[in-house]
Amino acid sequence: MTVLVLSGAIGAGKSSLTGMIAKELGTKAFYESVDDNPVLPLFYADPSKYAFLLQIYFLNTRFHSIKAALQDDNNVLDRSIYEDALFFQMNADMGRANQTEVAIYKDLLGNMMEELKGMPKKNPDLLVHIDVSYDTMIKRITKRGRSYEQIQTDPSLVDYYHRLLDYYDPWYKNYQYSPKIRIDGDRYDFVENPKDREIVMGQIKDKLHEMGKI
C-alpha cells in the first residue's frame, strides 16, 4: 500500500497522471478542487486583494486531502500540502501579501504540518514531480480553456507563469518528506500519447519497486 503525491506547475498534467496512476495501481485518486473554487477567479481578477484568501482556501483543502490519504494508506493526490508554501512565497515576493499575512500563513502551515506528524502514516511514500517548459505549460493551459488562466486574456500572466516555473526547481531540490522522482513532461506526452504514458508509468513503477513498495 502506498501514498503518492504529485507536484508540478499549472498545466503540467498532474490531474491526468493522477488518474492514470490510480487506475494502474488500484489506488484512490484525490483531486484538488479547481472548477468549483469560488476564490480562484477572484484571485486572477485582483491578485493583490485575494492572494491570501486563495492560499488559505487551498491550504485548508490540501490539509483535508493529505489527512485522508495518510489514514487510508492507498492513495494518490494530484497536489498536496507540501507544495503549498511555494505559491504563497512567490505571491509574497511579488508584493501580493503583506508581512502580517505571511506570518499568519506560516504559523498556520506550521501547525498543520505538526498535526500530520501524529497521523498513522506521517509522510507520503513517493513524490512524482512533472517538469514542463513554459511552452508546454501554455499549450496545456490553452487546451483546457479556463478563461481566467489565458495569457491572451491577461498578458501579466506571462510573467506570473515564468516566475512559477523558476520557483519549482529549488522547491524540488529542497523537498525532503519522501523519496522523489522527476517526470519529463516535455519529452513524454502521457496525456495524449499511449506509448509515452506507458513509459512514464514504467518509470514510476520502477521507482516503487526499487523502494520495495510494489
Side-chain angles (χ1 to χ4, degrees), residues 39-55:
V39 185
L40 199 55
L42 299 175
F43 167 76
Y44 277 97
D46 192 344
S48 296
K49 183 176 181 179
Y50 290 104
F52 180 67
L53 178 60
L54 178 66
Q55 208 60 50

Side-chain angles (χ1 to χ4, degrees), residues 65-126:
S65 294
I66 195 65
K67 281 200 305 179
L70 293 177
Q71 285 176 337
D72 291 344
D73 197 22
N74 189 28
N75 304 290
V76 54
L77 297 90
D78 73 338
R79 198 190 289 281
S80 75
I81 196 171
Y82 305 105
E83 211 172 342
D84 201 82
L86 179 154
F87 286 91
F88 195 59
Q89 185 61 58
M90 186 181 80
N91 278 295
D93 290 345
M94 294 173 71
R96 294 173 169 180
N98 60 50
Q99 289 307 305
T100 299
E101 290 171 329
V102 170
I104 291 171
Y105 169 79
K106 287 183 176 179
D107 187 49
L108 180 58
L109 177 60
N111 285 338
M112 288 179 168
M113 297 305 291
E114 285 296 320
E115 181 76 12
L116 292 181
K117 292 179 181 180
M119 300 294 294
K121 189 182 191 78
K122 294 177 177 57
N123 297 304
D125 295 290
L126 179 65

Side-chain angles (χ1 to χ4, degrees), residues 74-208:
N74 189 28
N75 304 290
V76 54
L77 297 90
D78 73 338
R79 198 190 289 281
S80 75
I81 196 171
Y82 305 105
E83 211 172 342
D84 201 82
L86 179 154
F87 286 91
F88 195 59
Q89 185 61 58
M90 186 181 80
N91 278 295
D93 290 345
M94 294 173 71
R96 294 173 169 180
N98 60 50
Q99 289 307 305
T100 299
E101 290 171 329
V102 170
I104 291 171
Y105 169 79
K106 287 183 176 179
D107 187 49
L108 180 58
L109 177 60
N111 285 338
M112 288 179 168
M113 297 305 291
E114 285 296 320
E115 181 76 12
L116 292 181
K117 292 179 181 180
M119 300 294 294
K121 189 182 191 78
K122 294 177 177 57
N123 297 304
D125 295 290
L126 179 65
L127 169 74
V128 179
H129 179 70
I130 307 170
D131 272 324
V132 290
S133 65
Y134 176 78
D135 288 343
T136 297
M137 179 186 187
I138 293 302
K139 178 182 176 182
R140 293 180 178 169
I141 287 173
T142 301
K143 184 175 181 179
R144 73 185 181 191
R146 294 176 188 141
S147 60
Y148 52 80
E149 291 180 340
Q150 307 306 315
I151 59 175
Q152 294 85 356
T153 305
D154 183 359
S156 71
L157 290 174
V158 173
D159 176 65
Y160 182 80
Y161 291 154
H162 276 294
R163 282 175 180 263
L164 185 59
L165 290 171
D166 289 342
Y167 273 69
Y168 263 103
D169 191 52
W171 176 85
Y172 179 81
K173 289 178 180 177
N174 292 325
Y175 175 87
Q176 298 178 342
Y177 293 100
S178 71
K180 53 191 176 183
I181 182 175
R182 296 182 94 137
I183 302 298
D184 189 338
D186 286 346
R187 182 177 181 183
Y188 301 113
D189 186 0
F190 51 83
V191 177
E192 301 290 345
N193 189 315
K195 290 185 179 179
D196 286 352
R197 190 177 309 148
E198 186 176 341
I199 291 171
V200 168
M201 287 307 307
Q203 292 175 345
I204 294 169
K205 289 194 286 185
D206 286 347
K207 182 67 175 180
L208 291 171

Side-chain angles (χ1 to χ4, degrees), residues 13-29:
K14 297 180 297 298
S15 296
S16 296
L17 187 54
T18 293
M20 297 168 197
I21 293 172
K23 182 177 180 180
E24 184 75 18
L25 300 182
T27 64
K28 180 179 178 181

